[in-house]
Amino acid sequence: MARVIRVLLVDDDALVRAGLSMMLDGVAGITVVGEAGDGGEAIAAVDAHAPDVVLMDLRMPGVDGITATRRLRARARPLEVIVLTTFDTDENILLALRAGAGGFLLKDTPPQRIVEAVTRVAEGDPILSPQVTRRLMDDALTRAGAYEHARAALAALTPREREVALAIAHGRSNAEIGAELAMGVTTVKAHVSSILTKLDLDNRTQIALLAHDAGLA
């Protein structure tokens, strides 16, 4: 017999759950085995119904979707989670994927696309909505550009200035930098002033951010 994918719906909106249940239960090879109104209820529902895939909302009272996803993926019997939300901020996307979600879809995704996602994620094939894929690609390009810019900028510094810049990125004060690098506070201040001038920066925070973009902190 063909495998039937068992799905758990987690959303604090009962109407959303009803709509998803009606849609998925009408698809051959998929059955909705349970529902939960927040991430806390989801944990108990997983124990009760043993789903293969969880469709998880993000913003819910009590335990949110990110926390619930992380807890479910850490279990001895991990299961697949698809985040289904209206909140597609970069932070939410990255947090969900880092928590172990195998999919990230927006709630305006066409029904057939949601069905396809459930099937594919159940087979271990991650899936993202086209909008999310584009956001991640744009973010990667932005980060790559920032990295290259930061590395090129720091290359203009002397080895000693780079040491000072890295210490600033680690939150060291001038006195701490002096003690760490065996130089007087006046010398440290001179190096900081030189770094700001060479890199056309205004303050120490910008030095720290540049070092972070360069992957040094």
Side-chain angles (χ1 to χ4, degrees), residues 187-208:
T187 303
V188 174
K189 290 180 178 179
H191 281 309
V192 173
S193 179
S194 177
I195 293 169
L196 292 173
T197 299
K198 284 185 177 182
L199 301 183
D200 192 25
L201 301 176
D202 297 322
N203 53 53
R204 296 166 69 95
T205 299
Q206 291 178 339
I207 295 175

Side-chain angles (χ1 to χ4, degrees), residues 15-192:
L15 289 177
V16 171
R17 299 199 306 269
L20 289 171
S21 181
M22 184 179 301
M23 177 186 72
L24 293 173
D25 267 337
V27 178
I30 296 177
T31 183
V32 175
V33 295
E35 300 180 10
D38 67 32
E41 293 180 11
I43 305 298
V46 165
D47 290 333
H49 303 292
D52 303 301
V53 176
V54 176
L55 280 180
M56 181 81 72
D57 190 18
L58 285 185
R59 302 283 182 87
M60 296 178 289
V63 179
D64 64 77
I66 298 295
T67 301
T69 296
R70 187 179 298 112
R71 291 177 181 174
L72 290 175
R73 291 291 297 167
R75 292 162 69 94
R77 178 190 176 274
L79 69 165
E80 299 297 338
V81 177
I82 299 173
V83 168
L84 186 63
T85 181
T86 57
F87 301 98
D88 64 335
T89 65
D90 294 344
E91 180 183 14
N92 282 335
I93 295 168
L94 293 174
L95 285 174
L97 296 180
R98 287 171 180 163
F104 195 108
L105 301 177
L106 302 182
K107 286 186 177 178
D108 61 359
T109 299
Q112 185 53 43
R113 178 74 170 171
I114 295 176
V115 171
E116 177 189 359
V118 169
T119 302
R120 287 178 55 180
V121 169
E123 296 172 351
D125 186 10
I127 189 167
L128 303 173
S129 69
Q131 302 97 313
V132 170
T133 301
R134 172 53 59 186
R135 292 280 288 275
L136 291 176
M137 291 174 63
D138 290 344
D139 181 68
L141 290 173
T142 299
R143 289 175 182 271
Y147 173 82
E148 294 298 335
H149 167 75
R151 298 289 287 197
L154 293 175
L157 302 180
T158 66
R160 201 57 161 170
E161 287 170 345
R162 284 196 292 273
E163 288 179 333
V164 172
L166 182 58
I168 290 173
H170 287 157
R172 307 284 197 273
S173 66
N174 286 343
E176 290 171 332
I177 294 173
E180 186 175 300
L181 300 180
M183 63 176 75
V185 171
T186 300
T187 303
V188 174
K189 290 180 178 179
H191 281 309
V192 173

